[in-house]
Amino acid sequence: MQMNLTPEEMESELGERLKRLRVNRNLEQATVAERAGISVRALRNLESGNGSSLNTLVRVLRALGKEQWLETIAPIATIDPLMLTRAAIPRQRASKPRTKTKENNGKSSEK
């Protein structure tokens, strides 16, 4: 999937990929919808990129045996480069963004 697509284009591309997967497996929409526990209309909306819920996407991926696709969205790093450089405790939470301080009370040191 290209990085410069709009959300609507990405939705359409994802739906097209799911449709290709279903057709390549020679499965009808009604069969996949029944296996996923959703309506044929919901599957049709997902495949056409006309808006769908995350729940519908997960159910369809499971019905097609492709739930591992979800693990590629935000994989957990197995090696943290910072941990290799120092003996640190693994992070438990995100830090607050640093605020910039004014140097010399906002005066420039250039002459």
Side-chain angles (χ1 to χ4, degrees), residues 53-65:
S53 70
L54 181 59
N55 185 295
T56 300
L57 174 62
V58 170
R59 287 174 175 264
V60 170
L61 287 174
R62 281 189 173 162
L64 294 172

Side-chain angles (χ1 to χ4, degrees), residues 43-83:
L43 178 60
R44 195 175 300 138
N45 284 340
L46 178 64
E47 288 184 347
S48 64
N50 288 333
S52 190
S53 70
L54 181 59
N55 185 295
T56 300
L57 174 62
V58 170
R59 287 174 175 264
V60 170
L61 287 174
R62 281 189 173 162
L64 294 172
K66 289 294 185 180
E67 57 265 29
Q68 75 271 14
W69 282 9
L70 297 173
E71 293 180 20
T72 64
I73 293 174
I76 297 172
T78 55
I79 297 176
D80 182 359
L82 292 176
M83 296 300 288

